[in-house]
Amino acid sequence: MFPKTPRTPFTHNYSLTWWLSGVSERTRLAASLNAEAAPLRSSLTRALASRTLASQVCSSFATGPRQYDGTFYEFRTYYLKPSKMNEFLENFKKNVHLRTAHSELVGHWSAEFGGRTNKAFHIWKYDNFAKDKEWQEQFLIPNLALIDKQESEITYLVPWCKLEKPSKEGVYELATFQMKPGGPALWGDAFKRAVRAHVNLGYTKLAGVFHTEYGVLNKVYVLWWNESADSRAAGRHKSHEDPRVVAAVRESVNYLVSQQNMILIPTSFHH
């Protein structure tokens, strides 16, 4: 048997002293790094604050210029079950007074050509976001069984356009333009020139130009009016051969992502 070697307390104390000295050194190192990093953190904070402020300033361009009278427009679309279209329109006609007592019905149409049919589309004019409880309870809820789905978008008239109401019957074309992100600050002037080229040269009549505030952003709706679908087709054909219109459209299309349209027929209670 080998004799037991006595445990030397010096070894334990040395290890503890070494560990404590290591902790102290690491603490001093961390403090040193923290002091050196302080200016960097300060610079980074200022940079991020600047970026945040820039994004806040630029966010106004997401919706872009609008008219300043507080008026906005709801684009509401009902996708109806094919066998229920007439029933829905009759119920709407019976109850529309509940809604027009509080807000103006700019127009009500059914979709004739372009995309899904059996679709009721209407535009409401508002000056606030107050809900109409009576309309919801007496019309909307009882007619939910007739509806496949519904969509709603909030829009503003662009500043350079007034809402026009034709003096006689006709057909409407709702053209939808999905523009590149950036808002009218980016593509507004070019788009305005393209619209005005059609109007000023007499190829069609403009009812309104609207820009989305809630819904899919950077979307522009142009509501055209023509005496008939045939006169609309004739005017479109002539405009495509006019170099002035072609030049204006060619400039605007640089900012275009996609577009679609539909022919709308006013209902009997269209205002």
Side-chain angles (χ1 to χ4, degrees), residues 2-9 11:
F2 292 98
K4 293 184 177 179
T5 303
R7 180 175 297 173
T8 305
T11 304

Side-chain angles (χ1 to χ4, degrees), residues 170-242:
V171 300
Y172 292 77
E173 175 189 3
L174 184 66
T176 305
F177 300 87
Q178 183 62 53
M179 309 302 289
K180 292 180 179 179
L186 175 66
W187 41 257
D189 289 341
F191 192 88
K192 177 171 64 176
R193 285 190 288 271
V195 170
R196 285 184 169 172
H198 287 82
V199 176
N200 294 341
L201 296 171
Y203 294 121
T204 185
K205 294 187 181 296
L206 182 65
V209 180
F210 306 83
H211 182 226
T212 52
E213 174 76 4
Y214 295 107
V216 179
L217 298 181
N218 295 294
K219 183 189 289 187
V220 184
Y221 289 103
V222 181
L223 186 63
W224 302 105
W225 177 88
N226 290 277
E227 291 187 0
S228 66
D230 289 331
S231 65
R232 179 260 175 197
R236 182 177 176 82
H237 178 74
K238 291 179 181 178
S239 68
H240 285 182
E241 296 180 340
D242 190 319

Side-chain angles (χ1 to χ4, degrees), residues 89-125:
L89 293 178
E90 284 299 318
N91 291 344
F92 190 96
K93 184 177 180 179
K94 291 177 184 178
N95 292 280
V96 69
H97 66 279
L98 299 174
R99 187 70 175 269
T100 53
H102 305 285
S103 51
E104 179 185 344
L105 178 63
V106 175
H108 192 289
W109 302 265
S110 60
E112 183 73 8
F113 304 115
R116 178 172 171 171
T117 55
N118 299 300
K119 181 165 57 179
F121 172 74
H122 45 197
I123 300 176
W124 292 97
K125 181 179 179 181

